[in-house]
Amino acid sequence: MIGSRLERLLGVRVREVQDLGMNHRWRLHRAVLADGRPVFVKSGKVGALFAAEAAGLRWLGEAGAVPVPQVLAVDEETLVLPWLESEPATAPAAERFGRELAALHAAGAESFGASWPGFIAELPMDNTPGSSWPSWYAERRVLPFLRAAVDRGGLSKDDARLVERVVERIEALAGPAEPPSRIHGDCWSGNVLWAGGRGWLVDPAAHGGHRETDLAMLALFGAPFLDRILAAYQEVSPLADGWRARVPLHQLHPLLVHVVLFGRGYRSAVVEAARAALAAG
């Protein structure tokens, strides 16, 4: 079935399809076209999710900075991208990625948010545009996922109150005001694919946001050669004073996402990030 759908979308014969298993609510496939080209395919009944991912990839690609896969085809049940042969990260590739990530962020955005629906994994996010990052981040990212985490039993009311204290002080905790950056939005190490001596961005939750968010996400689960990435980034686009102390603030949203997706196992990380964000202020 997936083969015939691909043939309809791409207008070429599909030689073979390999099932790579499930990821969240969709299946992954590697398909080989009649001309020998391999492609990467996501399939599933996910509503607007694939269209949002495609819009984010195209928008990131317009910057001509960090490479992103070309969208070959998309509909409500399928997303088709070129197949990238991954390789181990290297220090030179990490440094290049840091410079290119700085250039991507510098491409900017019209506002905080985006004109397409937001998703992180299978969870919807409110991308309604805003002009102030602290209030936008609190209202569109932190509070909705805090409520969901409490509703699903991942956080207690006392935990929620701690996070709410961060929200109450967010104007003071957010650091110097910056214009909207063009960010990946879910830039943990698993969403940076190393191929051809470069870091490619995949699986975006792209929107106009704060550039420190992408860097905090890279640190959250340990990107390879992170020190090289950050040093190269700083050479191109120096970060505002105090940025390291603000890392927990930017990690608070993705950690809340993990509580919603995976439960109380991430509760202590949320509490620690909230406490660290408050202490930094």
Side-chain angles (χ1 to χ4, degrees), residues 170-182:
I170 197 160
E171 293 287 346
L173 299 176
E178 293 203 5
S181 292
R182 188 169 303 219

Side-chain angles (χ1 to χ4, degrees), residues 21 24 26 61 94-95 123-124 156 159 161 210 241 266:
H24 297 288
W26 49 88
E95 291 169 359
L123 302 176
S156 69
D159 299 332
R161 181 57 191 152
H210 198 301
D241 290 345
Y266 286 91

Side-chain angles (χ1 to χ4, degrees), residues 96-108:
R96 181 172 184 177
F97 175 71
R99 292 189 294 269
E100 292 178 337
L101 186 62
L104 172 67
H105 291 165

Side-chain angles (χ1 to χ4, degrees), residues 39-64:
V39 295
F40 177 69
V41 184
K42 295 183 179 182
S43 67
K45 297 182 183 298
V46 293
L49 191 152
F50 290 154
E53 181 174 343
L57 286 169
R58 289 167 175 150
W59 185 65
L60 294 175
E62 288 171 2

Side-chain angles (χ1 to χ4, degrees), residues 55-78:
L57 286 169
R58 289 167 175 150
W59 185 65
L60 294 175
E62 288 171 2
V66 183
V68 298
Q70 178 188 3
V71 178
L72 300 178
V74 63
D75 66 13
E76 64 274 11
E77 296 186 20
T78 319

Side-chain angles (χ1 to χ4, degrees), residues 1-247:
M1 181 176 179
I2 184 65
S4 59
R5 189 184 309 150
L6 288 175
E7 290 179 347
R8 184 184 74 251
L9 284 171
L10 298 172
V12 298
R13 188 173 63 83
V14 174
R15 184 188 301 173
E16 62 181 80
V17 178
Q18 178 184 2
D19 189 340
L20 302 178
M22 292 290 294
N23 183 33
H24 297 288
R25 290 174 49 206
W26 49 88
R27 298 201 73 84
L28 307 178
H29 315 267
R30 183 183 188 273
V32 179
L33 307 182
D35 59 8
R37 283 182 297 153
V39 295
F40 177 69
V41 184
K42 295 183 179 182
S43 67
K45 297 182 183 298
V46 293
L49 191 152
F50 290 154
E53 181 174 343
L57 286 169
R58 289 167 175 150
W59 185 65
L60 294 175
E62 288 171 2
V66 183
V68 298
Q70 178 188 3
V71 178
L72 300 178
V74 63
D75 66 13
E76 64 274 11
E77 296 186 20
T78 319
L79 176 64
V80 188
L81 309 170
W83 180 267
L84 297 173
E85 288 292 343
S86 63
E87 62 192 24
T90 64
E95 291 169 359
R96 181 172 184 177
F97 175 71
R99 292 189 294 269
E100 292 178 337
L101 186 62
L104 172 67
H105 291 165
E110 292 184 0
S111 62
F112 298 103
S115 60
W116 54 85
F119 290 90
I120 188 163
E122 69 263 32
L123 302 176
M125 295 192 299
D126 185 353
N127 271 349
T128 301
S131 58
S132 166
W133 183 79
S135 60
W136 185 89
Y137 181 65
E139 295 167 9
R140 308 297 182 202
R141 293 295 184 260
V142 176
L143 289 175
F145 287 88
L146 176 61
R147 289 190 288 267
V150 172
D151 289 345
R152 298 189 186 195
L155 296 179
S156 69
K157 291 185 178 179
D158 286 341
D159 299 332
R161 181 57 191 152
L162 178 64
V163 177
E164 288 166 352
R165 285 175 55 202
V166 176
V167 170
E168 290 165 1
R169 296 185 56 196
I170 197 160
E171 293 287 346
L173 299 176
E178 293 203 5
S181 292
R182 188 169 303 219
I183 72 169
H184 177 281
D186 189 14
C187 197
W188 72 288
S189 58
N191 285 341
V192 181
L193 193 154
W194 303 95
R198 303 176 78 181
W200 292 64
L201 289 176
V202 298
D203 296 341
H207 62 277
H210 198 301
R211 61 191 181 130
E212 291 176 13
T213 296
D214 274 353
L215 300 179
M217 281 292 290
L218 286 171
L220 187 55
F221 298 113
F225 300 103
L226 180 60
D227 57 339
R228 301 288 188 95
I229 294 172
L230 294 174
Y233 186 103
Q234 293 261 52
E235 290 175 4
V236 175
S237 185
L239 294 159
D241 290 345
W243 70 271
R244 289 187 185 276
R246 291 188 292 274
V247 166

